[in-house]
Amino acid sequence: MKNLLVELVGRNVGVIVDSKNKHESYFTLANFKNIQEILIPIFSTYYFTTSKYLDFQDFKAAAEIKKVSYLEKRKLNKVELEKI
């Protein structure tokens, strides 16, 4: 997946972490700008067809709330945290 993202966006994004038992790997995309510009548009275009779709809709709504504080370069306030 990471190689696909690098190919799609033209830059290195995210980190792959293997579990201790090496039976699982996790891809982490923690930079909020990358979440807004890469992850959300991809999953908005190529959406889930399971109950994960509803989880993504909640994630996307939370990201929109976070976007305001991100653009203003401040932490989330109490009201924003309660909405999330």
Side-chain angles (χ1 to χ4, degrees), residues 8-72:
L8 284 172
V9 299
R11 67 180 194 263
N12 197 8
V13 295
V15 176
I16 296 175
V17 179
D18 291 323
S19 65
K20 290 181 182 180
N21 61 14
K22 303 287 185 187
H23 295 295
E24 299 173 332
S25 294
Y26 302 93
F27 179 75
T28 303
L29 187 65
N31 179 298
F32 186 71
K33 183 177 178 182
N34 289 337
I35 291 170
Q36 280 291 119
E37 294 177 358
I38 299 168
L39 189 70
I40 290 176
I42 287 172
F43 287 118
S44 292
T45 302
Y46 305 102
Y47 54 89
F48 298 97
T49 57
T50 64
S51 61
K52 295 289 184 196
Y53 176 78
L54 298 175
D55 293 335
F56 174 70
Q57 292 303 314
D58 289 342
F59 176 81
K60 190 171 156 182
E64 283 300 312
I65 294 168
K66 168 70 177 156
K67 184 178 178 181
V68 174
S69 67
Y70 175 79
L71 293 173
E72 294 175 358

Side-chain angles (χ1 to χ4, degrees), residues 61-62 65-66 75-84:
I65 294 168
K66 168 70 177 156
K75 292 183 178 183
L76 291 166
N77 62 40
K78 188 176 180 178
V79 172
E80 292 165 331
L81 283 171
E82 286 175 4
K83 284 182 183 178
I84 290 173

